[in-house]
Amino acid sequence: MQQAGVGTAALTRTRRAFALAALSTLLLLDASLPQSTLSQSFGVFAELVFVDANGSAEHVQRRMQAGFLMAQLQIPGARSLGRVPLYDLDAAFAAELTRVGPGRPIVRPAPGGTMLGQLLSPAPALLGETEYRQDAARVGSRPAFSPTNADLLTLDVPVDSNDLAAVCEAKKKMLSDEISAARAATEALPAGAPLPEVMSAHARLGGALSFTGDMAGSIRAFEAIGARLVADPSPMARGRLGMALEALGILNLRRGELDNCVMHHNREMCLFPLSRAARHQSGDGAQQAVAYFTRYLELEPENLEVRWLLNVAAMTVGTYPEGVPERFRIGPAAFASAEDPGRFWDVAGPAGLARTDNAGGTIADDFDGDGFLDIALSSRDPCEPLRLYRNRGDGTFADVSERAGLLGQLGGLNLIQTDFDNDGWTDIFVMRGGWETAIRNSLLRNNGDLTFTDVTERAGLGGAAHRTHSAAWADFDNDGWLDVFIGHEFSWSQLFRNRGDGTFEDVTDKAGLRFRSLTKAVVAGDVDNDGWQDLYVSNFGERNLLFRNLGGGRFQEVGRERGVSEPSFSFTTWFFDYDNDGWLDLLVVTDVPTVEEQPREYLGLPQPGETLRVYHNRGDGSFEDATRLLGLAKVIPTMGANFGDIDNDGFLDFYLGTGAPSYATLMPNRMFRNKEGRAFVDVTQSTGTGHLQKGHGVAFADLDNDGDDDLFASLGGAFLGDKYQDALFENPGHGASWLSLRLVGTKANRAAIGARLRLVLDEAGRETQRTRWVTSGGSFGASPLMQHIGLGRGARLKRVEIDWPGAKTPQVLTGVALNTWIEVVEGQSGFKPRSRQAFKLGAQRVGASRASAHNPGL
């Protein structure tokens, strides 16, 4: 093993070190994203991965370059040897790791395979460096960090991953055992223990406690580290004091959020920039955070992450902007919107939708066929059940999860709707395991009486569990039944063909879709208008894939040829026609979890990370990069997002749910308004939708039947202690015309997924059009399959053209009135108007609340 640069004895020590220290590495970032640089470890560590002769070292190297935890991802052929102290390695190997610095993996031949090593924290010679990633121009600025142990996201104990309750119990036991072991380790420290041992033990305990949300206990653990560092005159202590200050600032800020934003929530809490009503009133968490961040910046004034967090913390205590030293201040003018489409107020509380939970998926659709849009929600917490909120039609929602039989459906990072059996009732597909542990997915059949049955095994969608949070339902073979493509993380993605009898067959190999990657999102759409649904796959850490549907059950990968293989670290994606030219365009958003990109944008500094991409369809199924032309060359770490029409002008706008698992990633979710297909303008501040909490499942839907798109956002992070209330932003209305259409397929699939709508308008004597495809929209959030289409002001609707999936000629409607809901059945002449009653979201509860204030008997 010497020829690999790592001695055999060192490897033995390495395994021991990993067993003892894997859960005690301080300030570890997200378990699946770039992590572990100077600010994330008190010690100097490297990560080692051995790849056997059958594995791909290049494949693993790309993941290490992106910063993934190899132990978590379980890449075939790769075996993690853990995080290793630098002194435990061969001298030559350690010297080369030190020379290249953190984030740059080194490859060495080894008997039977290949050894890869990567420095996780700077060696002493590199301390004080401000650029931690050699690949910053590609990946981004210094990743954010949290004083928590993200390894706890991964369940690595034997458990039946098909037994959701067993997964929940195993996760709870693992956390309890880790806290007990960490507490015992701190109690066993002898008087005068060496500084590294003190830091490691207390960091392990503090990290585990912060993961579960025990901020007070975590703060005490990190205060013990800080006290030791202050008392120790050694260079090591001086070099690590700043890290302890930052950690304590983040923990105290989170404590302030729990005491105020969660426990004493109001409709303006955490909306950026924070108003007077959003200031913290309870406890001193935010005040302590301001003190710690200020002290840190006296030591490291160039740290943009801490500078940003100082400004946020000052807002929460009411001392912004004057209370922030000028050299650290980010002025209010930086956040102002250039346009004002009106304020979207958060009415989730009075509407009965302010669920408090972790990151999860969202579906807005009509599950009981009463004409009102309901909300289904999942959570990545493996012990939290799927929730269904029925729209009462009076402005409020009722939790009917128990009645619906959903309380046993635990966990699930994402949801999407379907009608797999063509019975006209909206079914639910739950995706689990993404980012962490392989857990089974669920296909839930809607029984038509607001109850659901898990038919996963019966339908043939069971089998081995995977890490999954992306799937696309579409009729890929135009036989009238919805098929499903499921994207997994580092296991073979799968295409299942619907047999039309309630069961599916795996046709992945036959279709030419067998690939394996870290797939974050998949979407279907007909990019070349040839009548066949194509497929786009967003992969994190390598090129994205566009599969052209050739018909006959075969696909051809054309991503590079069509110009859509980037960005390299992509996440959320969708097809939409942003300029209404009748051709599907493509948006792809990155999620490099760094806080630094946010202040860089607001301060007008260069953003070195990968920007999101908008690809304009040239009209032949090939694409050109229109990102810069549209004003969207921005780096916005995004987890969940979707598109809709916030002002009923007929041009699609979009909302980005920002964040990463780190407690430090407090950055506003972002709303962008479409300027007639020529540009997008940030209207986050003026709409009041800039929520600081992490955004995930996003849906645009007319939840109050008043003719405009409201916005629902599932909020919360990955750590159990990072729960937050969901938000429902009510559209203020804009006086523009609209049309809502529910399509019912007969030859096509019943839900009409994949159908194209073309609304031809007369606007002051000029013929224009608005186009839509029946789809639920973006990633990590599903909007209704009923399409709501804005038509602007003063337009006359001449006709509606519907291209049904698999049909050769469009179905044409005339005489359709504006501002109505209609149902169109494939092959039937005319259309059926549907009566809808508008109401005020949350009005019933607001009224009851006001009445009860005067009448205690209510």
Side-chain angles (χ1 to χ4, degrees):
M1 189 68 79
Q2 288 288 347
Q3 66 202 69
V6 184
T8 304
L11 282 180
T12 302
R13 293 195 301 273
T14 290
R15 295 188 182 99
R16 288 202 307 267
F18 179 56
L20 294 173
L23 292 177
S24 62
T25 302
L26 177 64
L27 307 181
L28 200 60
L29 181 71
D30 170 21
S32 64
L33 303 172
Q35 38 86 25
S36 293
T37 51
L38 173 61
S39 65
Q40 295 159 298
S41 176
F42 283 136
V44 179
F45 293 90
E47 182 174 35
L48 298 184
V49 177
F50 176 75
V51 184
D52 64 31
N54 297 319
S56 170
E58 180 183 0
H59 191 66
V60 176
Q61 186 179 8
R62 285 197 299 268
R63 298 303 172 278
M64 295 182 75
Q65 188 90 11
F68 292 109
L69 295 170
M70 297 298 112
Q72 176 195 344
L73 297 177
Q74 298 181 358
I75 301 173
R79 179 164 55 92
S80 173
L81 299 173
R83 295 172 182 81
V84 188
L86 196 64
Y87 62 76
D88 222 2
L89 301 180
D90 178 274
F93 192 53
E96 189 167 1
L97 286 168
T98 301
R99 179 179 60 80
V100 301
R104 180 65 61 86
I106 296 173
V107 181
R108 286 287 179 272
T114 307
M115 185 72 68
L116 294 91
Q118 175 177 270
L119 197 65
L120 296 180
S121 54
L126 297 178
L127 289 174
E129 294 282 341
T130 58
E131 196 62 54
Y132 302 108
R133 283 200 172 273
Q134 306 298 315
D135 224 12
R138 180 176 177 79
V139 179
S141 303
R142 182 179 74 90
F145 74 91
S146 273
T148 187
N149 196 333
D151 276 345
L152 296 173
L153 283 171
T154 304
L155 181 66
D156 54 1
V157 297
V159 64
D160 180 1
S161 57
N162 288 309
D163 186 338
L164 301 179
V167 171
C168 164
E169 292 304 316
K171 187 75 170 183
K172 289 194 292 188
K173 185 177 186 304
M174 184 189 74
L175 293 175
S176 175
D177 289 349
E178 172 57 20
I179 291 173
S180 297
R183 199 179 301 279
T186 60
E187 294 171 352
L189 285 171
L195 178 59
E197 292 183 19
V198 173
M199 292 188 297
S200 178
H202 284 285
R204 178 184 181 185
L205 176 59
L209 292 174
S210 72
F211 183 93
T212 61
D214 183 356
M215 295 302 152
S218 181
I219 288 170
R220 287 192 295 270
F222 281 93
E223 284 176 339
I225 295 173
R228 177 62 186 270
L229 291 173
V230 170
D232 194 322
S234 68
M236 175 184 288
R238 291 196 301 272
R240 284 141 178 85
L241 179 59
M243 304 172 206
L245 293 172
E246 183 174 7
L248 286 165
I250 293 170
L251 289 168
N252 275 281
L253 185 56
R254 181 59 189 165
R255 177 165 66 95
E257 291 173 330
L258 292 173
D259 291 343
N260 293 270
C261 304
V262 176
M263 298 302 297
H264 299 92
H265 184 73
N266 65 51
R267 67 177 183 171
E268 294 190 54
M269 281 294 184
C270 269
L271 296 180
F272 186 86
L274 274 63
S275 68
R276 183 178 298 274
R279 293 176 183 176
H280 291 188
Q281 304 295 325
S282 301
D284 65 347
Q287 292 176 337
Q288 293 289 341
V290 168
Y292 281 120
F293 291 144
T294 302
R295 187 175 175 191
Y296 177 96
L297 289 170
E298 292 171 356
L299 301 175
E300 297 285 345
E302 303 303 318
N303 188 310
L304 287 176
E305 175 181 295
V306 178
R307 182 177 174 182
W308 167 260
L309 292 173
L310 172 62
N311 281 264
V312 171
M315 289 182 189
T316 66
V317 298
T319 60
Y320 174 89
E322 294 81 4
V324 179
E326 187 174 355
R327 62 179 179 147
F328 301 138
R329 188 184 306 153
I330 304 173
F335 314 129
S337 297
E339 298 181 358
D340 185 3
R343 178 67 184 252
F344 286 61
W345 288 104
D346 181 5
V347 295
L353 288 173
R355 177 200 63 157
T356 300
D357 212 326
N358 291 108
T362 298
I363 301 174
D365 218 313
D366 185 358
F367 289 99
D368 57 0
D370 65 353
F372 299 111
L373 295 174
D374 313 303
I375 298 284
L377 301 171
S378 66
S379 170
R380 69 142 301 276
D381 184 340
C383 298
E384 284 294 326
L386 187 66
R387 295 289 180 183
L388 178 60
Y389 294 88
R390 180 179 176 270
N391 191 332
R392 292 188 175 105
D394 63 358
T396 65
F397 292 74
D399 186 342
V400 295
S401 311
E402 183 175 7
R403 169 189 164 189
L406 297 175
L407 297 186
Q409 293 293 328
L410 304 177
L413 191 60
N414 197 11
L415 297 172
I416 193 169
Q417 76 271 58
T418 182
D419 183 2
F420 76 95
D421 52 4
N422 278 346
D423 65 353
W425 297 100
T426 303
D427 310 307
I428 298 175
F429 187 64
V430 186
M431 290 149 277
R432 299 187 179 91
W435 295 1
E436 45 168 335
T437 306
I439 312 175
R440 74 171 178 90
N441 300 321
S442 291
L443 176 61
L444 307 178
R445 181 181 182 272
N446 188 333
N447 300 317
D449 58 358
L450 211 61
T451 67
F452 293 80
T453 301
D454 190 330
V455 296
T456 314
E457 292 296 330
R458 186 194 316 165
L461 296 180
H466 299 272
R467 292 172 173 83
T468 307
H469 55 50
S470 58
W473 289 84
D475 185 1
F476 291 108
D477 55 3
N478 282 341
D479 66 350
W481 297 87
L482 288 172
D483 315 302
V484 60
F485 180 85
I486 306 175
H488 303 304
E489 294 188 348
F490 289 114
S491 57
W492 300 107
S493 292
Q494 296 170 290
L495 174 64
F496 289 94
R497 178 183 176 271
N498 193 329
R499 293 189 178 104
D501 61 358
T503 68
F504 295 79
E505 60 176 325
D506 189 333
V507 294
T508 310
D509 291 335
K510 188 187 306 183
L513 290 171
R514 189 165 179 79
F515 68 92
R516 181 170 56 198
S517 187
L518 187 64
T519 298
K520 290 297 184 182
V522 293
V523 287
D526 184 1
V527 301
D528 46 12
N529 282 343
D530 65 352
W532 297 96
Q533 293 290 303
D534 309 302
L535 186 69
Y536 187 74
V537 181
S538 171
N539 296 317
F540 197 99
E542 62 184 290
R543 71 184 181 93
N544 300 325
L545 306 171
L546 174 61
F547 290 97
R548 180 172 179 252
N549 191 335
L550 303 176
R554 294 288 299 172
F555 291 79
Q556 177 186 14
E557 206 288 302
V558 294
R560 280 180 173 155
E561 173 189 328
R562 301 293 178 92
V564 293
S565 61
E566 294 181 340
S568 299
F569 295 94
S570 64
F571 212 88
T572 302
T573 188
W574 62 68
F575 287 119
F576 70 152
D577 184 4
Y578 73 81
D579 58 353
N580 283 315
D581 66 352
W583 295 84
L584 281 175
D585 310 305
L586 176 67
L587 185 143
V588 196
V589 187
T590 58
D591 187 25
V592 178
T594 170
V595 178
E596 289 192 3
E597 296 291 354
Q598 194 74 84
R600 281 183 178 277
E601 179 184 350
Y602 291 136
L603 291 168
L605 300 174
Q607 291 184 288
E610 284 189 310
T611 70
L612 64 85
R613 303 292 174 84
V614 182
Y615 294 107
H616 180 254
N617 195 321
R618 292 189 176 100
D620 59 2
S622 68
F623 297 82
E624 58 186 345
D625 191 338
T627 313
R628 198 165 296 278
L629 179 66
L630 295 170
L632 289 174
K634 303 174 184 294
V635 183
I636 305 175
T638 300
M639 296 190 300
N642 216 324
F643 59 84
D645 186 356
I646 64 172
D647 52 8
N648 270 347
D649 66 350
F651 290 87
L652 290 168
D653 316 297
F654 64 86
Y655 186 73
L656 303 181
T658 65
S662 168
Y663 285 128
T665 48
L666 289 174
M667 57 188 77
N669 298 327
R670 308 279 289 275
M671 179 78 85
F672 288 89
R673 186 186 199 183
N674 188 336
K675 299 293 292 179
E676 297 183 333
R678 297 189 298 268
F680 286 86
V681 178
D682 188 332
V683 292
T684 304
Q685 180 269 335
S686 59
T687 57
T689 55
H691 216 296
L692 278 174
Q693 296 297 316
K694 301 170 181 65
H696 220 267
V698 173
F700 285 87
D702 184 6
L703 292 170
D704 50 5
N705 282 355
D706 65 350
D708 50 41
D709 273 338
D710 307 301
L711 171 67
F712 184 89
S714 172
L715 302 172
F719 304 147
L720 293 182
D722 204 1
K723 296 178 184 289
Y724 200 79
Q725 289 98 335
D726 297 331
L728 170 56
F729 294 104
E730 184 178 19
N731 195 315
H734 297 84
S737 298
W738 51 273
L739 180 67
S740 288
L741 303 95
R742 179 177 183 264
L743 303 187
V744 180
T746 53
K747 294 181 179 179
N749 67 88
R750 181 77 176 263
I753 291 175
R756 182 177 71 162
L757 291 159
R758 180 172 179 260
L759 279 64
V760 181
L761 308 177
D762 181 342
E763 294 189 274
R766 183 170 60 97
E767 186 171 281
T768 62
Q769 67 178 19
R770 303 291 188 270
T771 60
R772 293 289 186 277
W773 277 256
V774 177
T775 170
S776 58
S779 305
F780 300 101
S783 299
L785 295 177
M786 182 177 70
Q787 296 300 295
H788 175 87
I789 306 173
L791 301 175
R793 290 185 175 89
R796 181 174 66 87
L797 180 58
K798 297 175 68 174
R799 64 184 181 276
V800 177
E801 300 175 0
I802 305 170
D803 290 300
W804 296 92
K808 300 299 183 183
T809 58
Q811 183 171 339
V812 180
L813 308 176
T814 58
V816 180
L818 299 179
N819 306 325
T820 58
W821 293 269
I822 64 172
E823 180 177 283
V824 183
V825 178
E826 181 184 12
Q828 293 184 8
S829 61
F831 54 89
K832 177 182 178 182
R834 294 172 65 95
S835 176
R836 300 292 178 93
Q837 181 178 355
F839 49 87
K840 184 73 174 173
L841 284 170
Q844 294 293 324
R845 287 204 177 187
V846 170
S849 176
R850 289 172 179 165
S852 63
H854 298 90
N855 184 353
L858 288 177

